[in-house]
Amino acid sequence: PVPIRERFAPTTPVRGTAVYLVLVAVLTFLAWMRDIVPALVHNTLPVSLDKTVMLTNSIEVMDLSISLPLLTLAGIWLWRRKVWGYFLSGVLLVMFTIGTLGIAVDQTFGHRSDPTQSLAAVPLMAAVTVVGLIVTYFYLRKLREDPL
């Protein structure tokens, strides 16, 4: 079997992709902290749980415990050109691009169903989806089936 690293062209934008992955992790972390920290300080529920019966935001829990650490590791490993970095980066680029598109669609249809629901996240998620598609395209475009 040929290592996954050998399947990528030398011109693959490894460093740019690594920076993008870590940047997504950092910005998502800051967004979640903007929701969580004030609630901790004021001993209230986070804003994201307003008008719900939930006590915790399961998306924040999953992101903070699994997704964001994996994004960070993938970015670091890809920067260092480690095999796991190449593999995880491809998986996470596709996963997060589909995820941001899903959020934009969910928020749009949620607003159509209940006009009191905000559309504020839709432009941001649409923009992040487009950027994710571009980064994913340039990362995977020269992936070779049969390495030289």
Side-chain angles (χ1 to χ4, degrees), residues 119-142:
L119 285 173
V122 174
L124 176 63
M125 290 299 112
V128 173
T129 299
V130 170
V131 171
L133 282 170
I134 292 167
V135 173
T136 303
Y137 169 77
F138 282 105
Y139 180 70
L140 297 176
R141 76 181 172 153
K142 292 185 180 177

Side-chain angles (χ1 to χ4, degrees), residues 38-95:
L40 287 172
V41 169
H42 301 295
N43 197 27
T44 61
L45 283 176
V47 173
S48 66
L49 298 176
D50 190 32
K51 298 180 184 173
T52 72
V53 295
M54 299 186 304
L55 297 176
T56 58
N57 183 328
S58 60
I59 302 302
E60 290 175 348
V61 171
M62 280 189 345
D63 278 353
L64 292 169
S65 63
I66 299 168
S67 302
L68 302 185
L70 275 178
L71 275 171
T72 305
L73 275 176
I76 292 168
W77 287 341
L78 186 61
W79 184 276
R80 295 178 180 170
R81 299 181 187 272
K82 302 285 185 187
V83 172
W84 276 104
Y86 283 90
F87 173 73
L88 277 177
S89 294
V91 169
L92 293 171
L93 282 169
V94 171
M95 184 183 92

Side-chain angles (χ1 to χ4, degrees), residues 108-129:
T108 301
F109 280 97
H111 177 77
R112 287 189 61 187
S113 175
D114 178 4
T116 64
Q117 295 300 311
S118 174
L119 285 173
V122 174
L124 176 63
M125 290 299 112
V128 173
T129 299

